[in-house]
Amino acid sequence: MMRSSSEKAIRSNPKAVVLFGPTAVGKTAMTENLFSKGFEIINADSIQVYRGLDIGSAKPDPELRKKIKHHLVDIRDPWEDYNSGEFCIDAISLIHEINSRGSIPLITGGTAYYFRQLMYLPAKTPQSDPGIRKSVKEEISAKGDEWAYSYLSQVDPASAKRINSHDMYRVSRAIEVYRQTGMPLSSFSVSDKIRDDVDFAAVGLRRPKAELDKRIAMRVDMMFDMGFYDEIKRLIREGAQPSWPSMEAIGYREFFEARENPESSLRSIKESIIRNSSRYAKRQMTFFQSFSDAVFFHPEDEEGIRRYIESKLGIQLCVSTS
RNA sequence: GGAGAGGUUCCCGAGCGGUCAAAGGGGGCAGACUGUAAAUCUGUUGGCUUAGCCUUCGAAGGUCCGAAUCCUUCUCUCUCCA
């Protein structure tokens, strides 16, 4: 009986709460209040997966992690790769696992692309082959960006049309997929409808820009007070390179950039971390806003969020009044 | 007190008679997003009743058909000599 048209089949879908919002909007505080009972957290933050990047990635503290089970945090070393494809696989299996335990997964974080891939189903492109990726990169740096784009225009005109000719990140990936599969990237279709094998309640957190910027500045200050500089020094002592995937993160990469420019003070590094965070927050917001199934709340509207989740998933939240 | 350099749009900085609302960069604002996404890229950035008009290049005058660009005075900043 594989037919899934019946109500019974729909009811048997696993449930998941999805909670996203820009950096410093107040996701963690909310988590503690609304989801400390009956939930397990699936982290959807591409930096918090890395061990040793604690302060700079605003990782939930050990106390909270003891109180609520967190998944997909500290699962990689800082020189390792992790990506949206792996996230989707990990997250979907955790969604089933957590549901089978009678708990509900709370997927929360700030990596909009991970949410997009998970909720709307990832494209069926294969996992990247590091060797092919490297050789494509080398070829582009030898032959130039113009060559790359015109090559893509020949082998995959549809993708070339969609991708901006200066966007080497995407041009390179499209060429890589063609080299790897012999098929144009554009032949792998993507969905713009939310997947129907999980019941999602998608909550977006939003604050006015000025309010958010203030919190970002405060949080960066707080990170330095908490010993962020020591964290950086420790990572560098352990051999951290700007080429490590984790070191592209805001807060970390500024220190490598500062090496090139000896006049930059700790103060100016801090300022650029704040600026980059606030720009990042904006990019996150515009991405989140494109999710058709998301409902947005101010983080202080916990009552509204609770009611929305309860009615969307047909459950009751036990709210802790701490 | 003397000699020189200079004050340009939010900032830095080009322009040195018309094609200048003014290059370029920064910052701001908006957007995109097919297994690298805290990444990468795009558009926009004086005002308005927007095929046009108005206000802008330290200030005030002047020359000219026409000035950010030339002249005069004033003012402010910087460097050097006293």
Side-chain angles (χ1 to χ4, degrees):
Chain A
M1 275 275 97
M2 292 302 288
R3 287 292 313 154
S4 63
S5 61
S6 71
E7 202 172 285
K8 195 170 177 205
I10 291 164
R11 185 164 293 155
S12 71
N13 270 352
K15 299 178 199 299
V17 175
V18 170
L19 179 72
F20 45 75
T23 183
V25 79
K27 294 185 289 289
T28 309
M30 152 131 313
T31 300
E32 194 145 16
N33 296 341
L34 279 181
F35 306 104
S36 50
K37 282 213 180 69
F39 286 87
E40 295 181 33
I41 286 173
I42 300 175
N43 166 246
D45 182 300
S46 62
I47 304 303
Q48 291 182 10
V49 300
Y50 290 110
R51 288 184 277 271
L53 279 72
D54 299 329
I55 298 170
S57 71
K59 214 174 268 176
D61 57 60
E63 205 176 311
L64 182 63
R65 288 168 66 180
K66 222 161 101 185
K67 204 161 150 193
I68 314 173
K69 172 94 182 133
H70 281 64
H71 303 271
L72 305 186
V73 175
D74 290 343
I75 54 165
R76 289 287 122 107
D77 282 315
W79 54 88
E80 295 180 309
D81 284 318
Y82 189 68
N83 61 49
S84 67
E86 292 176 87
F87 170 77
C88 287
I89 293 164
D90 293 344
I92 196 71
S93 85
L94 281 163
I95 288 170
H96 284 99
E97 188 186 313
I98 293 166
N99 270 271
S100 73
R101 259 177 229 142
S103 294
I104 293 176
L106 172 71
I107 307 160
T108 184
T111 304
Y113 188 50
Y114 285 10
F115 288 109
R116 156 89 231 209
Q117 294 278 320
L118 177 65
M119 291 194 294
Y120 296 84
L121 286 170
K124 307 260 187 318
T125 44
Q127 181 173 10
S128 168
D129 177 319
I132 294 174
R133 174 165 295 178
K134 188 157 173 272
S135 80
V136 169
K137 276 204 172 126
E138 283 167 1
E139 191 169 1
I140 292 176
S141 72
K143 297 185 180 170
D145 293 1
E146 279 181 38
W147 168 83
Y149 188 70
S150 71
Y151 175 77
L152 182 65
S153 304
Q154 283 166 31
V155 302
D156 185 355
S159 292
K161 194 171 171 217
R162 181 177 61 81
I163 298 169
N164 184 277
S165 63
H166 298 115
D167 191 349
M168 277 309 119
Y169 187 90
R170 293 191 168 81
V171 169
S172 166
R173 156 107 268 246
I175 293 173
E176 177 194 321
V177 168
Y178 177 73
R179 289 278 168 82
Q180 188 177 342
T181 65
M183 286 166 60
L185 175 64
S186 50
S187 67
F188 300 90
S189 63
V190 282
S191 154
D192 56 352
K193 282 195 299 271
I194 199 156
R195 67 195 291 166
D196 59 6
D197 60 342
V198 177
D199 290 349
F200 286 114
V203 173
L205 260 30
R206 183 156 55 183
R207 283 179 194 270
K209 188 76 175 22
E211 194 177 306
L212 190 63
D213 282 347
K214 223 162 94 189
R215 297 184 117 242
I216 288 170
M218 271 169 52
R219 188 161 82 173
V220 172
D221 273 336
M222 207 189 294
M223 282 175 178
F224 278 87
D225 291 346
M226 286 164 66
F228 181 48
Y229 192 43
D230 293 331
E231 181 171 296
I232 293 282
K233 284 193 289 198
R234 195 203 72 232
L235 283 160
I236 288 173
R237 209 180 318 120
E238 288 169 1
Q241 298 296 317
S243 56
W244 285 9
S246 63
M247 289 298 120
E248 75 183 13
I250 293 167
Y252 300 90
R253 67 161 194 255
E254 285 81 357
F255 282 90
F256 292 102
E257 281 160 14
R259 281 181 172 176
E260 259 113 76
N261 161 340
E263 295 111 81
S264 58
S265 58
L266 199 57
R267 185 191 164 76
S268 76
I269 291 174
K270 199 189 220 177
E271 276 166 6
S272 85
I273 293 173
I274 292 172
R275 196 178 333 109
N276 289 333
S277 300
S278 142
R279 286 211 270 241
Y280 172 52
K282 178 60 176 78
R283 264 178 281 135
Q284 292 179 105
M285 277 318 298
T286 78
F287 207 155
F288 291 142
Q289 267 153 3
S290 73
F291 296 165
S292 49
D293 299 85
V295 180
F296 288 87
F297 296 88
H298 191 283
E300 273 155 32
D301 185 14
E302 294 190 357
E303 186 53 30
I305 293 167
R306 206 200 81 222
R307 260 183 282 137
Y308 172 69
I309 291 169
E310 289 183 340
S311 76
K312 186 82 203 287
L313 296 182
I315 56 170
Q316 284 283 94
L317 303 196
C318 330
V319 179
S320 82
T321 48
S322 58

